């Protein structure tokens, strides 16, 4: 059974940092595109960042470029999202998501975590 379990969300002031973690079971990240979506209140879910080792591609949504960094520890089967210079508009529920391909991840990942709340106060 595939499972994704996130941790690391919380409340932070604008300009601060958080690191989200997502540990997978049932598959290994080196065979999948894996990354993060987020959904703010009243808005659609959007892809934030993705890494696909098999496709050789790393994606960042424009508003987080230069502030967020995705990384993977294959030994721990864990993906991280380091979020720096956080802004109130980054407030959302962040979901870890995975798919066999990067294209599939962009269209709609097959696997989702339960989500973790990130709140950035002004």
């Amino acid at each position: 059974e595939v499972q994704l379990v996130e941790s690391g969300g919380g409340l932070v002031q604008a300009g601060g940092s958080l690191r989200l973690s997502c540990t997978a079971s049932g598959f290994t990240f080196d065979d999948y595109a894996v990354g993060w979506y987020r959904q703010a209140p009243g808005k659609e879910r959007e892809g934030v960042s993705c890494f696909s080792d098999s496709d050789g591609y790393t994606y960042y949504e424009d508003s987080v470029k230069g502030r967020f960094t995705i990384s993977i520890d294959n030994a721990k089967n864990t993906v991280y999202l380091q979020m720096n210079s956080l802004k109130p508009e980054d407030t959302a529920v962040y979901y870890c998501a995975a798919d066999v391909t990067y294209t599939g991840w962009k269209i709609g990942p097959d696997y989702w975590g339960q989500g973790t709340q990130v709140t950035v106060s002004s």
Side-chain angles (χ1 to χ4, degrees):
E1 180 186 5
V2 172
Q3 279 194 319
L4 299 169
V5 179
E6 303 105 330
S7 62
L11 173 64
V12 64
Q13 288 189 331
S17 299
L18 284 173
R19 189 178 78 159
L20 305 182
S21 302
C22 171
T23 300
S25 58
F27 72 101
T28 56
F29 282 148
D30 53 3
D31 294 329
Y32 281 74
V34 60
W36 299 87
Y37 273 72
R38 67 185 178 186
Q39 187 166 24
K43 295 188 177 181
E44 292 188 358
R45 196 173 293 189
E46 65 175 355
V48 175
S49 181
C50 179
F51 177 76
S52 175
D53 192 13
S54 59
D55 294 327
Y57 198 77
T58 304
Y59 163 80
Y60 292 101
E61 194 270 328
D62 284 345
S63 70
V64 308
K65 287 179 181 177
R67 300 188 298 123
F68 290 10
T69 303
I70 190 170
S71 62
I72 292 179
D73 185 334
N74 285 316
K76 296 181 179 180
N77 218 29
T78 298
V79 59
Y80 303 97
L81 186 68
Q82 178 66 44
M83 305 186 294
N84 298 329
S85 302
L86 282 162
K87 304 175 181 180
E89 51 263 44
D90 295 317
T91 295
V93 178
Y94 284 71
Y95 297 90
C96 182
D99 199 276
V100 176
T101 67
Y102 171 72
T103 299
W105 188 92
K106 286 286 287 180
I107 294 172
D110 285 338
Y111 305 109
W112 293 88
Q114 81 284 358
T116 186
Q117 177 71 46
V118 171
T119 303
V120 184
S121 63
S122 57

